[in-house]
């Protein structure tokens, strides 16, 4: 058995010893380096550009402007190709632009023999602009007569999703609750910055080496951006130092490919500084949400609706998909109530928003779960009991897509959390407080999907090869970006094949010319969608091994099986006939029978079961210092069968840390008038380090998902979703103040506490 055991990560030793090679660890003879010339205003047009000083600098080999790049608009979002043109992402980006749409937009790029010279050359390019109105919010961007950021206006897309009749349910409810909620623009802050390089290995055939979550999609987008056939582009993904969704976008790969192409195939590297990652890669969409729900006096949720405004920034990237995905993911949470969701996504002069861990769910769950607690507070009900009465149960049907929920461990998560967290005792201790330091407890729930189907195709490929020594190479299209997928893939292969875990070697580098197809790492899909391909490939390989073993041992193939790397009689597993290594040696070297034993499977998944979970938190609020201290925090998850408990715990802890950062620390501070980012670095942008986080606890309620090959469901993104509303709800209990805007910093606490007369406003000096 391999599934469910705490095997050490297959890449752990390479990473902790520094042997793992990331994109920046590779170099090539004659490598050139590129540096952008970035706009110094958030909205305007370039009226003149002078590159003469840069071109005169020794070591500068070329300067390109918007006039030199192909007049092709392309998509950047990391979604698999859709045969339905109406469902494809928006094409609104060129390699360089003369219509700058955010502070730091690329208007030119300098190529030099070393990074420092490229940077010096970029500083010598003189650009003159005609300023245009800067619009950073919906009020200005969607105003009548607003300057269009893109042709067609500033409303990117809008949609409406319904499950039942939410307006009627709310209107007829004995109790109604409303609220306005706002979530911030934040950055992924992956330790490895955005980096890639490109070269031409033969005329017209480009190779791109990139730190990306989506090598196959990068291939198609690079080809499209340059007007080349897809087959003329090869993408290689080495180890990746984190992505969290930022690298689920085609970022600098088209530019690196263009520069190499223009310079005759020499290798050209494009690496963004940390400041550039803040300005010119991707962020999380800021949401403004108006919510309303209807409930009866006993806490039965009758219906709710959310009205969402999503700010996509200067370019579409994933655009309206984020807002739509948020609705689809939460529709499983309270399926017996009517559900309404109206969403609009608009362009603004902010840095471009794209995919980020949770993909819209953290924003909408924050609004919904805060509104649930507001209703419970008004009705004097226990918010845990109300959730237990309303959350999804096995057999419920999603009101939007009409899919049956076959595994739902959320009620048990809440019950177990009540016991482990000592909810009743802690809640009783937090009643009727009057001191300057007050405690509160909070809870919040979530639901999430396990891939993108039916919105997107869910295809995965796996290839297995038996080596001469009996070990097995597993080549998988799914991308390991730090989440541990390669390890659980090895566990799946070992269990199904019948060999020890140590005999499986996962080839972690993806190469689009060689590797089986998979669109990439996103949507918490990897283990769920790759599992059928691995399972089928392992069964194929096992059958071929046993077929040769039957010939060698003069047995009926149906009487044989594999256990722990040995061929045994199925009815007498203690009877070892030969090892897999012996079978393999005969396959390669027997004079007359056998041959290399391989298998390959491509599989499309057409199921998408929801995972569930919740967060419990106990915290203290110092009214005078406007400070929140988390005393205890715990996540409980229904992710189906847990494939590797140690890796699962690590995923949950990582997500909880990000969720706490989103709730209490993180925001990109952007001047609303100029669009300038004031804190584009890891000193001024505040996210929690290990010393800022409390002890993180988690537990798992293991259900068995019948639509899954190994009984499991998604886990990668869900841990980030529910900490923020749980923290907000605990602050509400402690202080009586409902803070509906994230992050909940001392600054925002001070403002709200003054408004609630909990503290006096400090005198202005």
């Amino acid at each position: 058995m391999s599934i469910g055991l705490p095997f050490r990560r297959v890449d752990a030793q390479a990473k902790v010893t520094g042997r793992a090679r990331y994109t920046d660890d590779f170099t090539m003879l004659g490598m050139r380096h590129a540096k952008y010339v970035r706009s110094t205003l958030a909205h305007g047009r370039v009226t003149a550009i002078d590159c003469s000083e840069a071109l005169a600098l020794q070591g500068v080999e070329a300067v390109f402007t918007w006039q030199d790049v192909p007049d092709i608009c392309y998509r950047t979002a990391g979604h698999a190709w859709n045969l339905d043109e109406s469902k494809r992402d928006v094409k609104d980006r060129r390699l360089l632009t003369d219509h700058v749409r955010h502070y730091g937009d690329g208007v030119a790029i300098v190529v030099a023999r070393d990074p420092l010279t490229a940077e010096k050359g970029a500083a010598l390019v003189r650009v003159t602009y005609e300023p245009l109105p800067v619009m950073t919010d919906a009020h200005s961007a969607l105003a009548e007569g607003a300057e269009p950021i893109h042709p067609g206006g500033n409303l990117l897309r809008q949609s409406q999703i319904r499950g039942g009749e939410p307006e009627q349910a709310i209107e007829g409810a004995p109790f109604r609750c409303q609220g306005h909620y706002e979530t911030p623009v934040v950055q992924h802050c992956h330790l490895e910055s955005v980096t890639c390089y490109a070269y031409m290995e033969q005329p017209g055939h480009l190779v791109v080496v990139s730190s990306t979550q989506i090598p196959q999609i990068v291939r198609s987008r690079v080809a499209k951006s340059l007007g080349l056939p897809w087959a003329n582009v090869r993408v290689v993904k080495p180890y990746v130092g984190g992505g969290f969704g930022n690298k689920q976008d085609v970022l600098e790969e088209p530019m690196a490919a263009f520069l190499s192409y223009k310079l005759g195939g020499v290798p050209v590297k494009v690496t963004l500084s940390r400041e550039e990652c803040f300005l010119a890669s991707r962020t999380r969409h800021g949401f403004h949400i108006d919510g309303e729900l209807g409930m009866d006096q006993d806490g039965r949720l009758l219906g709710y609706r959310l009205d969402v405004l999503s700010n996509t920034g200067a370019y579409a990237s994933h655009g309206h998909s984020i807002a739509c995905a948020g609705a689809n993911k939460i529709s499983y949470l309270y399926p017996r109530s009517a559900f309404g969701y109206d969403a609009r996504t608009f362009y603004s002069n902010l840095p471009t928003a794209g995919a980020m861990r949770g993909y819209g769910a953290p924003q909408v769950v924050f609004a919904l779960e805060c509104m649930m607690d507001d209703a419970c507070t008004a009705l004097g009900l226990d918010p845990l009991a109300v959730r237990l009465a309303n959350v999804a149960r096995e057999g419920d049907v999603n009101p939007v897509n009409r899919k049956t929920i076959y595994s739902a461990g959320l009620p048990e998560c809440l019950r177990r959390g009540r016991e482990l967290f000592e909810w009743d005792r802690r809640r009783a201790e937090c009643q009727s407080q009057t001191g300057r330091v007050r405690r509160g407890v909070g809870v919040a729930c979530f639901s999430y999907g396990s891939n993108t189907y039916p919105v997107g195709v869910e295809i995965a490929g796996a290839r297995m090869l038996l080596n001469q020594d009996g070990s097995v190479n597993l080549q998988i299209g799914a991308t390991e970006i730090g989440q541990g997928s390669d390890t659980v893939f090895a566990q799946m292969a070992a269990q199904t094949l019948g060999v020890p875990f140590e005999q499986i070697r996962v080839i972690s580098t993806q190469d689009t010319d060689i590797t089986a197809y998979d669109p990439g790492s996103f949507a918490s899909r990897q283990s769920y969608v790759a599992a059928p391909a691995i399972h089928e490939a392992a069964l194929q390989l096992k059958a071929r091994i046993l077929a040769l073993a039957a010939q060698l041992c003069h047995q009926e193939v149906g009487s044989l099986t594999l256990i722990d790397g040995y061929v045994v009689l199925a009815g007498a597993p203690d009877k070892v006939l030969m090892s897999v290594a012996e079978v393999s040696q005969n396959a390669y070297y027997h004079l007359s029978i056998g041959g290399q034993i391989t298998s390959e499977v491509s599989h499309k998944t057409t199921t998408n079961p929801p995972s569930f979970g919740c967060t419990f938190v106990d915290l203290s609020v110092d009214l005078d210092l406007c400070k929140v201290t988390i005393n205890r925090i715990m996540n409980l998850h229904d992710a189906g069968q847990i494939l590797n408990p140690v890796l699962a715990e690590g995923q949950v802890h990582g997500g909880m840390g990000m969720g706490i950062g989103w709730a209490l620390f993180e925001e990109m501070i952007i001047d609303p008038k100029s669009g300038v980012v004031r804190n584009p670095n890891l000193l001024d942008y505040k996210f929690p380090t290990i010393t800022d986080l409390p002890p993180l606890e988690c537990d798992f309620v293991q259900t068995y998902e019948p639509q899954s090959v190994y009984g499991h469901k998604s886990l990668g993104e869900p841990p980030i979703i529910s900490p923020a509303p749980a923290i907000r709800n605990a602050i509400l209990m402690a202080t009586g103040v409902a803070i509906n805007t994230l992050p909940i910093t001392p600054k925002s606490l001070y403002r709200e506490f003054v408004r609630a007369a909990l503290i006096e406003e400090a005198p202005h000096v």
Side-chain angles (χ1 to χ4, degrees):
M1 293 292 291
S2 295
I3 296 295
L5 298 179
F7 286 105
R8 188 174 71 183
R9 290 179 59 129
V10 295
D11 56 358
Q13 188 172 8
K15 288 182 173 178
V16 300
T17 58
R19 290 177 180 148
R21 303 195 72 187
Y22 298 82
T23 301
D24 283 344
D25 292 319
F26 294 94
T27 189
M28 296 183 72
L29 188 65
M31 180 86 79
R32 306 305 196 256
H33 299 266
K35 193 70 176 178
Y36 279 95
V37 179
R38 299 197 176 276
S39 65
T40 55
L41 74 171
H43 197 200
R45 292 193 179 274
V46 178
T47 58
I49 187 164
D50 183 357
C51 306
S52 57
E53 288 186 64
L55 287 167
L57 182 65
Q58 186 176 359
V60 169
E61 298 202 348
V63 180
F64 298 97
T65 74
W66 77 93
Q67 297 168 310
D68 303 305
V69 301
D71 188 17
I72 297 173
C73 284
Y74 61 96
R75 305 170 176 89
T76 66
H79 293 140
W81 185 249
N82 199 309
L83 296 176
D84 184 346
E85 188 172 357
S86 68
K87 295 181 180 179
R88 295 173 192 165
D89 298 297
V90 175
K91 296 189 291 186
D92 63 0
R93 185 181 285 270
R94 291 180 66 206
L95 291 172
L96 295 167
T97 184
D98 63 334
H99 181 177
V100 300
R101 298 175 170 93
H102 67 88
Y103 183 85
D105 211 349
V107 298
I109 195 162
V110 175
V111 182
R113 290 183 174 272
D114 61 82
L116 182 58
T117 302
E119 190 169 343
K120 288 179 178 178
L124 293 174
V125 176
R126 310 301 176 196
V127 187
T128 306
Y129 301 96
E130 174 195 345
L132 293 172
V134 173
M135 299 161 285
T136 58
D137 57 21
H139 176 75
S140 56
L142 298 179
E144 186 176 352
E147 182 77 23
I149 296 171
H150 289 276
N154 297 334
L155 180 63
L156 177 61
R157 280 181 180 168
Q158 58 186 338
S159 59
Q160 185 179 83
I161 299 172
R162 289 290 182 274
E165 300 290 341
E167 287 80 9
Q168 294 179 19
I170 295 168
E171 185 68 29
F175 173 80
R176 295 168 64 182
C177 177
Q178 295 179 323
H180 177 77
Y181 309 91
E182 299 182 13
T183 64
V185 175
V186 297
Q187 226 279 325
H188 308 69
C189 297
H190 36 75
L191 291 184
E192 182 192 29
S193 68
V194 174
T195 184
C196 63
Y197 64 90
Y199 62 95
M200 204 179 292
E201 62 181 357
Q202 52 182 294
H205 195 277
L206 286 159
V207 180
V208 180
V209 180
S210 177
S211 174
T212 181
Q213 299 174 218
I214 49 168
Q216 291 284 357
I217 296 172
V218 166
R219 181 195 199 193
S220 66
R221 300 295 194 268
V222 168
K224 289 283 188 180
S225 69
L226 301 182
L228 297 173
W230 289 12
N232 284 31
V233 178
R234 172 188 171 206
V235 177
V236 178
K237 181 223 69 124
Y239 281 95
V240 174
F244 306 116
N246 198 350
K247 297 172 185 177
Q248 196 206 332
D249 232 280
V250 180
L251 297 168
E252 298 307 324
E253 297 91 352
M255 177 57 77
F258 164 76
L259 294 174
S260 178
Y261 193 84
K262 290 290 285 187
L263 297 175
V266 299
V268 181
K269 189 172 191 178
V270 182
T271 298
L272 300 190
S273 67
R274 184 60 61 180
E275 181 178 12
E276 288 179 300
C277 285
F278 275 87
L279 301 179
S281 63
R282 302 294 180 265
T283 67
R284 187 187 290 282
H285 289 71
F287 276 22
H288 284 220
I289 304 175
D290 290 305
E292 184 179 20
L293 64 74
M295 190 176 279
D296 68 18
Q297 299 294 336
D298 297 324
R300 184 167 69 95
L301 182 63
L302 303 175
Y304 66 97
R305 59 178 300 274
L306 301 173
D307 192 344
V308 172
L309 264 177
S310 171
N311 191 336
T312 200
Y315 295 94
S317 180
H318 287 248
H320 196 56
S321 298
I322 304 289
C324 289
N328 292 326
K329 294 176 192 305
I330 67 163
S331 59
Y332 283 101
L333 185 53
Y334 300 114
R336 296 182 302 282
S337 62
F339 170 61
Y341 191 88
D342 297 272
R344 292 180 292 164
T345 299
F346 65 95
Y347 287 113
S348 74
N349 296 124
L350 295 185
T352 304
M356 188 171 178
R357 193 175 191 175
Y359 208 83
Q363 296 97 311
V364 296
V365 167
F366 176 74
L368 174 58
E369 288 299 277
C370 289
M371 197 160 49
M372 286 288 287
D373 257 55
D374 291 345
C376 293
T377 300
L379 292 170
L381 301 173
D382 181 346
L384 175 56
V386 169
R387 286 177 171 84
L388 267 169
N390 288 285
V391 295
R393 301 190 289 254
E394 288 183 15
D396 280 338
V397 175
N398 183 309
V400 174
N401 61 24
R402 309 309 301 166
K403 298 292 186 182
T404 299
I405 301 170
Y406 294 107
S407 62
L410 184 49
E412 181 58 27
C413 287
L414 290 166
R415 284 190 287 266
R416 188 178 296 182
R418 167 180 268 166
E419 178 184 349
L420 295 175
F421 188 76
E422 301 175 288
W423 169 266
D424 295 327
R425 176 184 67 80
R426 289 173 183 271
R427 189 164 185 269
E429 292 172 352
C430 296
Q431 303 294 331
S432 305
Q433 298 176 82
T434 57
R436 304 309 293 169
V437 177
R438 302 182 187 179
R439 272 181 64 205
V441 294
V443 64
C445 300
F446 72 85
S447 59
Y448 203 74
S450 293
N451 56 78
T452 67
Y453 183 84
V455 175
V457 63
E458 283 300 350
I459 183 172
R463 182 182 298 126
M464 301 182 76
L465 181 151
L466 184 65
N467 294 313
Q468 291 92 328
D469 61 357
S471 63
V472 176
N473 285 358
L474 171 59
Q475 194 173 42
I476 189 84
T479 54
E480 167 72 72
I481 62 168
Q483 77 274 42
S485 60
D486 281 356
T487 305
V488 297
F489 294 158
Q491 291 178 250
M492 293 174 185
Q495 174 144 321
T496 305
L497 189 57
V499 302
F501 172 79
E502 293 76 16
Q503 282 184 226
I504 305 294
R505 178 173 177 260
V506 182
I507 312 301
S508 190
T509 297
Q510 275 74 43
D511 182 329
T512 58
D513 273 8
I514 300 170
T515 309
Y517 184 88
D518 187 292
S521 179
F522 52 85
S524 299
R525 64 181 289 279
Q526 294 279 241
S527 64
Y528 186 83
V529 174
I534 295 169
H535 183 260
E536 291 176 34
L539 290 178
Q540 280 187 13
L541 195 74
K542 181 178 183 178
R544 290 164 186 170
I545 292 170
L546 293 177
L548 180 57
Q551 279 187 277
L552 295 168
C553 299
H554 306 291
Q555 298 281 341
E556 291 291 329
V557 68
S559 68
L560 304 180
T561 190
L562 292 180
I563 296 179
D564 292 331
Y566 291 94
V567 179
V568 301
L569 291 174
D574 293 335
K575 178 67 173 178
V576 174
L577 301 179
M578 63 193 313
S579 69
V580 171
E582 290 173 296
V583 177
S584 182
Q585 287 172 4
N586 277 276
Y588 280 94
Y589 305 120
H590 193 285
L591 289 176
S592 58
I593 63 172
Q596 187 179 46
I597 299 178
T598 66
S599 65
E600 183 167 357
V601 169
S602 180
H603 183 276
K604 288 187 177 179
T605 294
T606 56
T607 58
N608 187 356
S611 61
F612 299 96
C614 57
T615 299
F616 289 83
V617 64
D618 178 323
L619 55 76
S620 300
V621 183
D622 188 315
L623 299 180
D624 295 325
L625 295 179
C626 299
K627 180 182 179 182
V628 173
T629 301
I630 297 176
N631 305 315
R632 190 179 185 192
I633 187 167
M634 173 185 289
N635 264 34
L636 294 99
H637 288 263
D638 162 27
Q641 293 292 294
I642 298 302
L643 303 174
N644 185 312
V646 173
L647 295 188
E649 186 177 10
Q651 283 279 53
V652 174
H653 286 179
M656 291 174 72
M658 291 185 77
I660 292 169
W662 192 58
L664 298 177
F665 295 86
E666 296 183 51
E667 61 178 327
M668 285 177 64
I669 300 171
I670 303 171
D671 188 298
K673 294 183 178 180
S674 67
V676 174
V677 181
R678 300 298 188 189
N679 60 336
N681 57 72
L682 298 187
L683 177 63
D684 298 316
Y685 181 89
K686 304 302 180 185
F687 69 84
T689 66
I690 192 67
T691 59
D692 300 306
L693 293 173
L696 303 172
E697 301 177 56
C698 71
D699 197 12
F700 300 97
V701 170
Q702 295 205 46
T703 60
Y704 189 89
E705 173 51 55
Q707 299 174 101
S708 169
V709 175
Y710 298 102
H712 64 294
K713 302 185 288 188
S714 64
L715 183 60
E717 292 167 278
I720 195 177
I721 300 172
S722 51
I727 290 168
R728 178 269 189 188
N729 293 340
I731 294 172
L732 170 64
M733 184 184 188
T735 66
V737 178
I739 300 175
N740 295 341
T741 299
L742 295 179
I744 305 172
T745 61
K747 175 179 64 178
S748 64
L749 287 172
Y750 170 78
R751 190 166 51 241
E752 297 293 340
F753 289 170
V754 167
R755 187 177 294 130
L758 291 176
I759 60 175
E760 294 182 4
E761 186 173 7
H764 296 286
V765 179

